[in-house]
Amino acid sequence: MTIAKMSWQPQYRSSKYRHVFGKPANKESCYDCVPITRSVQDNHFCAVNPVFIAVVTECAGGGAFIVIPLQQSGKLDPHHPKVCGHRGNVLDIKWNPFDDYVIASCSEDATVKIWDIPRHLLNKNLTDPRKELLGHTRRVGLIEWHPTASNIIFSTGYDYKIMIWNIDNDDPVIYSPVRTIECHKDVILSMSFNTDGSLLATSCKDRIIRVIDPRQGTIIQESNCKTHKASKVLFLGNMNMLLSSGTSRWNNRQAALWDQNDLSVPLHQEDLDGSSGLIFPFYDCDTNMLYIVGKGDGNIRYYEVCSQKPYLQYLNEYRSNLPQKGIGVLPKRGVDVSTCEVFRFYKLVTIKSLIEPVSMIVPRRSESYQDDIYPMTTGTQPALTAREWLDGINRGPVLMSLKPGSKSAPYQVPVTKEEPKFPIPIKEPKLMYEGKVPTRTLWEIEYKTEIIREDRSNKKAFERLQDSKQAISNGFDFFECPAPKTENELLQMFYKQQEEIRRLRDQITQRDVQIKQLELEIKNKRNSTASY
């Protein structure tokens, strides 16, 4: 008689993100009196980067959106300048992932426009775009920047076409895209790229999910599931999976996981509730966390995604009585690492003309930088030029570290730490003695004590020299870099100086411990010699 072996799995899984919680911003950090659009289009209506927040707004005689500096919270001036060059309502806006001062917009006037936001901020309405893309015959509902190639943008409209534009030229008006994808039979509801931008997933009004080779314009995979009607689709990083949100056969809101290489049957289906609002999914590939936000809801559900069953592990739910019409997400490079923030939403609350930031925080007692929850993340440097991508080259994103003071490193290349440069080498004797203290002569102990004292005096002299240089140069940092021009650079310089001060304090504390130990040895040695 053979006994079948059963693999036991615990009901509760250990996870560092089990206790993540949502923290809404206080009133002073919200954006009040913002004229949020009342359009019924199923889009986010909000785009955020570490410098600005852009929101589609109401405007007479055309479409417009407003751009607000991220630090300028509080009550918005009713005469705040607008970006208002469209002749129809603005339907979607997206920041350039490689330039925080460039934004794209699309509209009911069947155009896509590229705008340069001035660094000195807007003091009057901006009506002249840098580029205008003319190719669609009906209104344009969605735009997406390529995740790794610079100056490549995708647009899709109610003409059922996806157009690929190369804006790496000097032409103010571009009349023809570099490629047009015509494999859809109805309006396209969402677009999503995989990590290196070699594949494009789309959801359509015909409820079919398609995985497309964007350069060839051919369909690689196509879903054929009758139990799930998809409205939004999302690539889940490097997990070779797709997530779609929509409704079930019984019109319950539902999320489904798919194998990107086989869309015949979903891997997992998660019924959410019986509400009717659209669902926006957001995925953080650094933490493998999935956030599900409902239009018209005030709640945000979040899950942890794993590559094995049960695939979706429910974590918790942020609840609020303020319903969101749209929502924006801050890129990972803009989160506050000092508070262990791993994600940040910007909720558009139409009933109060309010933009409310909500931070997702991992509770930690330590105030130091947490390496385990902040792996290398996507940076601001493109991995490819537009011509390289169009020629068939694929390359992953250029990564950067979120640790204050660190620099970005190429994708899949180990980060090399730069050693601090001092005028003389500093000797590093052992902190603590293990086991029996080795016997040393009195002369050796006194000599080593003098070395440590000399090192400390040299270091203090070096610090005084650097302080004097900084005072003369009026704002130059520790390594004689130019003065910061933006608040972001100033913040990075502050973190860098704080890290340097903390490291020097640790070294001084170590030296004090060593000096006390050596002085004690000298005293013991003298007492032992005096006894003889």
Side-chain angles (χ1 to χ4, degrees), residues 45-72:
F45 299 123
C46 180
V48 190
N49 67 23
V51 182
F52 297 110
I53 177 170
V55 181
V56 180
T57 183
E58 290 293 315
C59 180
F65 60 95
I66 54 177
V67 176
I68 309 171
L70 207 63
Q71 306 300 328
Q72 188 180 316

Side-chain angles (χ1 to χ4, degrees), residues 43-48 53-56 93 326-329 346 348 355:
N43 283 344
H44 297 161
F45 299 123
C46 180
V48 190
I53 177 170
V55 181
V56 180
I93 49 176
I327 199 155
V329 173
Y346 285 81
L348 304 186
I355 304 176

Side-chain angles (χ1 to χ4, degrees), residues 258-269:
W258 307 79
D259 182 353
Q260 74 178 40
N261 300 316
D262 182 11
L263 298 182
S264 58
V265 179
L267 297 173
H268 177 73
Q269 290 177 314

Side-chain angles (χ1 to χ4, degrees), residues 164 179 181 197-200 211-220 389:
I164 306 175
R179 187 169 300 281
I181 301 172
S198 60
L199 296 176
L200 176 70
V211 176
I212 302 169
D213 183 342
R215 282 172 292 219
Q216 301 297 326
T218 56
I219 298 176
I220 299 175
W389 184 79

Side-chain angles (χ1 to χ4, degrees), residues 160-178:
Y160 312 159
K161 296 177 183 178
I162 298 177
M163 295 188 178
I164 306 175
W165 305 87
N166 179 8
I167 62 172
D168 191 12
N169 52 54
D170 297 329
D171 300 332
V173 181
I174 302 176
Y175 292 97
S176 59
V178 293

Side-chain angles (χ1 to χ4, degrees), residues 26 36 91 113 129 146 152 169 208 237 240 296 369 483 499 526:
N26 53 30
I36 302 168
L91 300 181
K113 297 180 188 289
H146 193 274
I152 293 288
N169 52 54
I208 296 176
N240 292 325
Y369 178 76
E499 189 71 22
R526 283 175 176 167

Side-chain angles (χ1 to χ4, degrees), residues 62 81 181 226 236 241 252 304 342 360 363 422 456 470 511:
I181 301 172
K226 305 298 182 183
L236 299 185
M241 289 195 291
N252 291 326
E304 190 170 6
V342 292
M360 311 307 293
F422 291 97
R456 288 187 64 186
Q470 288 182 355
R511 295 298 192 279

Side-chain angles (χ1 to χ4, degrees), residues 11 63 77 120 213:
Q11 185 179 2
D77 185 356
H120 55 76
D213 183 342

